Amino acid sequence: MRDDGFPDDFVWGCSASSYQVEGAIREDERGLSIWDEFSHAKGMIRDGSNGDIACDSYHRYPEDIALLSRLKANAYRFSIAWPRIQAGGRGTPNQKGLDHYSRFVDALLEKNIEPWPTLYHWDLPLELQKKGGWAERDTAYRFAEYAEIMFRCLGSRVKHWTSVNEPWCSAFLGYREGEHAPGLRDPNLAYKSVHHLLLAHGLADQAFRQGGMQGDFGIVVNPATPRPANDSEECRQAAHRASLERTALWFDPVFGRGYPNEYVRACGAQLPIEAGDMDLISLPVDFVGLNYYLEDTVVPALKGPDNPLGYRIVSSGAPKTEMGWEIVPQGLQRLICTIAEEWKPKALYVTENGAAFHDFRSVQGGTEFIHDAGRIAYLRDHLHACRDAIALGAPLKGYFVWSLLDNFEWAWGLAMKFGLVAVDEKTQERIPKDSFAFYRDAIAGSAL
Ligand code: GCO
């Protein structure tokens, strides 16, 4: 154990995803994804931007890796763009796509940075969407085929694999709220997607084990355990109901308990389960990744068709980030401990945590600075919450900042900046912020 309370073998990383940083959307026979279409549709992205270029990391990854190396990060969590591997989501893999990720993984390893690929961070091949996307069972089988291709290509070099990232967002923001690609608004399609995303995870888990792959296989979720606004029984019940769609809906099936009845009944969710599905979904996972940004506060509300779980989010008065998300560092400790106690995963990682703030660039003595004190405070306080969770006995093994670079923040576009490093939109120059130095010192053990 280090003096600052973090284990010596703690994983210190940064996170990113393919569509948010790569750009080069038409290069090397990459197919289109649902996000290419969605970001080009009128009015879907708040600042009118898209990911056509993003951080140009498809070309500039050596610069990104040099930055990770300066941080002395020992892991990088990135995602593989499925349409680079199978343009239309099926069939013979595209060698150019495989070569790209193979070079990328080698470049990381050369700097002693462990590659942590995610197989699916939302950029579904558009052709699969035309056949129904995640609302269709076939997409799960296509995913398993793609996963096997990647296991064969990178399996000897990659030791930590993630199936899907934040399936709640894929299913509900994508198919119910219309806020993310594919932009649909149909709860029934969302429930089908829930099941097919989990089935995809399970099938890939099976392929991983049957393929005799070495290393760890897990899933990354963005769970939420909202706080009751007060101590009343009604409020506590509302907070419990508010957590179901973000916690039990995913963890119960993955840990062998099946779908939570309370949720299924309240929402009238029709889940297209077939024989054997729940066994696949509950195959063992070696770790669970948690993405945490905020903790909501809730009060009870009248149940109805638009609010089947009967709760409402209220302000707790906590300060907010640029996203309007309340800053509640101890919520991270509570979340980690709740998940650890309730579902007992073997290992937990905070696979994303970070903050968007408006940054100001300033020039001093010919050098550019970005004094992002707000982001530093956010990261420090959340790392302290991680340390508290470890001290309370949670099996937390690592932490990944979201994100190394300012990047394409989905429906918010390029305007929301989460990076430790700014990216000049015109020149693509990478400009480390003060938080970059802070995280480097935290990794070194001298900042916390
Ligand atoms: C995810 C996240 C990231 C976001 C980050 C900030 O699903 O992993 O949505 O892609 O950029 O959470 O909102």
Side-chain angles (χ1 to χ4, degrees), residues 77 79 82 117-122 124 134 139-140 143-144 146-147 161-171 193-205 217-222 250 254 285 287-291 351-352:
R77 176 173 174 266
S79 76
W82 184 355
T118 298
L119 290 164
Y120 185 71
H121 200 129
W122 308 355
L124 186 74
W134 288 111
T139 301
F143 176 81
Y146 150 66
W161 291 90
T162 294
S163 55
V164 295
N165 171 72
E166 299 190 3
W168 180 85
C169 294
S170 295
S193 300
V194 167
H195 185 63
H196 296 142
L197 282 152
L198 281 171
L199 181 62
H201 158 79
L203 288 165
D205 196 339
F217 184 88
I219 186 168
V220 167
V221 180
N222 57 332
W250 310 97
V254 165
V285 285
F287 69 91
V288 164
L290 310 178
N291 294 349
T351 32
E352 283 180 29

Side-chain angles (χ1 to χ4, degrees), residues 15-17 20 77 121-122 165-167 169 173 180 220 222 291-293 323 325 351-356 402-403 407-410 412 416 418:
S15 271
S17 87
Q20 293 181 276
R77 176 173 174 266
H121 200 129
W122 308 355
N165 171 72
E166 299 190 3
C169 294
L173 296 183
H180 280 185
V220 167
N222 57 332
N291 294 349
Y292 176 86
Y293 293 90
M323 299 286 285
W325 295 347
T351 32
E352 283 180 29
N353 174 242
W402 184 274
S403 185
N407 60 42
F408 180 75
E409 178 53 28
W410 307 113
W412 295 80
M416 284 295 165
F418 279 86

